[in-house]
Amino acid sequence: MSGAILYIRDNLKISSTQVEILVGCLNLCSLIGSLASGRTSDYIGRRYTIVLAAATFLIGALLMGLAPSFIFLMAGRVVAGIGVGYSLMIAPVYTAELSPATTRGFLSSLPEVFINIGILLGYISNYALSSLPENINWRLMLGLAALPAILVALGVLVMPESPRWLVMKGRFDDAKQVLIKTSDSKEEAELRLAEMIEAAKAPGAASSNWQGQGAWKELLCRPSPPIRRVLIAAIGVNFFMQASGNDAVVYYSPEVLKDAGIQSRQQLVGVTVIMGIAKTFFVLVSALFLDRFGRRPLLLLGSTGMAASLAALGVGSKYLEQSDKKPVWAIALCIVAVCADVSFFSIGLGPITWVYSSEIFPMRLRAQGSSLAISINRLVSGIIAMTFLSISKLISFGGMFFSLAGIMVVGIVFFYFFLPETKGKTLEDIGILFEDKIPENETHFLS
């Protein structure tokens, strides 16, 4: 959308307010999908929820690509947004529930890796299609998203169901078969199955009638102290992921760079390609080292880097706002700072938010707890995306970036005190980190 919007604005003659609504509505509408995804995945299973997400992506992409007017374009964006909400919850939860503890960080961060690969492919296709007539190029930029949606739906045919969901449904034999395929030995599979059955002991669980009932009440009405701590951690990391303004920087980077002095549309799209390469490279680096260094070190490193990058972007933007000559060094500072910001995001908050959200909730609450946390993620993302340009007009881009840098400083403090390390622990063992009394061997809670 960041590249397509340059041409949609002129082709459909839409205002800046309509641009904000068009960009931001996907995130707000994804709130619907993220809230519904928890109960849906508990009811029909993780695999079929992935199919449902792919179907909404397909419909949304076709509506946007064929849209004759702004209203139809909005309709496609709304449908695609619902699919985003479903996929952002189900992909990391499914992966976390299927993965062994030793590689869960890497595997659960793969959704973020491929999101970034998708963004990069979007930037590259935008650049490749930008020379076509403007009534065609943006339609292809948005409509091509239908192809990966079809591939995802077909891929589900060879994917096993989540063993933990099968256990919650009382289908122990089916769960064992999945675990044998995803464990190093039959003995390991039987041990993992026994741990899952033990963890599933809750009223109504481990039976064919289980559909996730009672989860919302346990999460919101009568949460125990450990569950309350889990909620604070999950909601907090999702809040700061989007309050950092990363989505807005990605969406509106052409606008920011245009204001900095880069006028050529093809150059603007070209810079977004460089930004996409940086994002993709660093999220892959983070995924490879998550299980070696742990969640906390990479999260704190990435967040500190984001705060510094946003502050540098604020300095560059402020200087350019007050300068008529637009010096090359200030433009270069803005470009480097934008690329650094998204790179540090890809090291820390980008992959780790999804990993953390999918692994800290107890099994019976995982899907619906994750959907609640991710709905906060989507709500904040939508608010930031739909107000970024308006607020920037009031306080300037420089002022906006200084504000986001301040938010990240608060986020660093929150991560340090509220997010324990989960590296190498089974999903069933992670709950101990949030208990009232931490065993002696868990005193590295804040290490």
Side-chain angles (χ1 to χ4, degrees):
M1 182 57 77
S2 66
I5 200 67
L6 296 170
Y7 303 96
I8 293 171
R9 185 198 290 266
D10 291 340
N11 187 232
L12 297 184
K13 303 294 188 291
I14 62 176
S15 65
S16 294
T17 301
Q18 287 175 308
V19 168
E20 284 186 316
I21 294 172
L22 180 63
V23 170
C25 74
L26 179 136
N27 297 324
L28 284 182
C29 292
S30 66
L31 181 64
I32 300 170
S34 60
L35 282 172
S37 59
R39 189 60 187 268
T40 301
S41 65
D42 280 343
Y43 184 67
I44 66 175
R46 309 326 192 203
R47 289 175 71 235
Y48 290 113
T49 303
I50 295 172
V51 174
L52 182 60
T56 54
F57 276 132
L58 176 62
I59 296 169
L62 292 176
L63 281 173
M64 288 189 289
L66 300 172
S69 65
F70 177 73
I71 297 299
F72 275 87
L73 188 59
M74 280 289 298
R77 191 78 167 155
V78 167
V79 174
I82 294 172
V84 167
Y86 270 100
S87 63
L88 288 180
M89 190 289 293
I90 196 58
V93 165
Y94 172 82
T95 311
E97 291 189 337
L98 201 65
S99 306
T102 54
T103 56
R104 190 179 60 248
F106 169 71
L107 294 173
S108 296
S109 63
L110 284 180
E112 179 68 12
V113 171
F114 285 105
I115 284 172
N116 280 277
I117 290 174
I119 290 171
L120 176 58
L121 290 175
Y123 288 150
I124 293 171
S125 66
N126 284 354
Y127 185 80
L129 297 169
S130 61
S131 59
L132 294 176
E134 71 176 24
N135 65 323
I136 295 175
N137 57 13
W138 66 264
R139 296 180 186 280
L140 288 174
M141 292 174 187
L142 300 179
L144 283 174
L147 297 179
I150 295 171
L151 293 176
V152 169
L154 293 175
V156 172
L157 297 176
V158 295
M159 291 162 56
E161 182 53 87
S162 160
R164 287 174 170 86
W165 182 80
L166 292 170
V167 166
M168 295 297 285
K169 297 290 284 187
R171 295 166 55 182
F172 302 140
D173 289 338
D174 292 337
K176 183 177 179 180
Q177 294 305 311
V178 174
L179 288 169
I180 288 174
K181 294 178 182 178
T182 57
S183 301
D184 291 330
S185 65
K186 187 175 180 180
E187 291 72 21
E188 181 189 339
E190 291 175 347
L191 179 62
R192 290 174 67 190
L193 179 62
E195 291 175 347
M196 291 177 193
I197 293 173
E198 178 67 24
K201 288 181 179 178
S207 74
S208 59
N209 295 324
W210 181 80
Q211 298 172 2
Q213 56 268 38
W216 284 106
K217 185 180 293 185
E218 187 173 350
L219 284 166
L220 298 177
C221 298
R222 298 192 306 270
S224 63
I227 295 300
R228 190 179 299 115
R229 295 185 190 107
V230 169
L231 270 176
I232 290 171
I235 289 175
V237 72
N238 276 275
F239 170 83
F240 283 109
M241 178 189 187
Q242 297 303 340
S244 70
N246 180 77
D247 278 9
V249 170
V250 171
Y251 287 138
Y252 297 119
S253 56
E255 298 281 345
V256 173
L257 296 172
K258 185 177 179 181
D259 190 67
I262 302 176
Q263 297 302 319
S264 167
R265 284 182 178 176
Q266 203 157 29
Q267 286 180 342
L268 289 171
V269 177
V271 173
T272 63
V273 173
I274 297 172
M275 187 172 71
I277 292 171
K279 276 177 64 67
T280 305
F281 174 77
F282 282 103
V283 76
L284 186 56
V285 169
S286 178
L288 291 172
F289 288 100
L290 258 178
D291 291 307
R292 181 183 301 180
F293 296 129
R295 285 54 159 160
R296 278 172 56 84
L298 292 178
L299 182 59
L300 293 171
L301 170 64
S303 300
T304 303
M306 285 184 72
S309 301
L310 287 165
L313 186 55
V315 170
S317 298
K318 272 293 183 184
Y319 188 90
L320 288 166
E321 288 161 14
Q322 298 169 7
S323 173
D324 296 328
K325 294 183 178 180
K326 306 289 184 184
V328 174
W329 71 264
I331 296 175
L333 176 62
C334 288
I335 293 173
V336 171
V338 166
C339 291
D341 178 56
V342 298
S343 297
F344 279 114
F345 178 85
S346 292
I347 289 172
L349 273 169
I352 293 170
T353 297
W354 308 124
V355 173
Y356 213 79
S357 301
S358 65
E359 65 184 7
I360 62 174
F361 286 98
M363 181 162 34
R364 67 187 182 280
L365 304 177
R366 182 167 298 120
Q368 296 185 56
S370 296
S371 74
L372 174 62
I374 291 168
S375 68
I376 300 298
N377 180 302
R378 296 293 84 204
L379 177 63
V380 177
S381 178
I383 292 172
I384 295 290
M386 294 182 78
T387 59
F388 184 84
L389 290 181
S390 297
I391 295 175
S392 296
K393 285 181 180 178
L394 292 175
I395 65 174
S396 77
F397 279 124
M400 188 67 174
F401 293 129
F402 282 131
S403 300
L404 294 175
I407 290 172
M408 282 314 304
V409 171
V410 177
I412 293 166
V413 175
F414 176 85
F415 302 147
Y416 185 84
F417 287 106
F418 290 94
L419 271 61
E421 182 57 71
T422 57
K423 177 188 72 170
K425 299 185 181 299
T426 66
L427 295 181
E428 287 68 37
D429 288 339
I430 286 175
I432 297 172
L433 299 174
F434 295 91
E435 295 289 345
D436 295 319
K437 293 182 179 179
I438 304 173
E440 289 184 7
N441 64 338
E442 297 296 344
T443 53
H444 61 285
F445 183 90
L446 293 177
S447 63

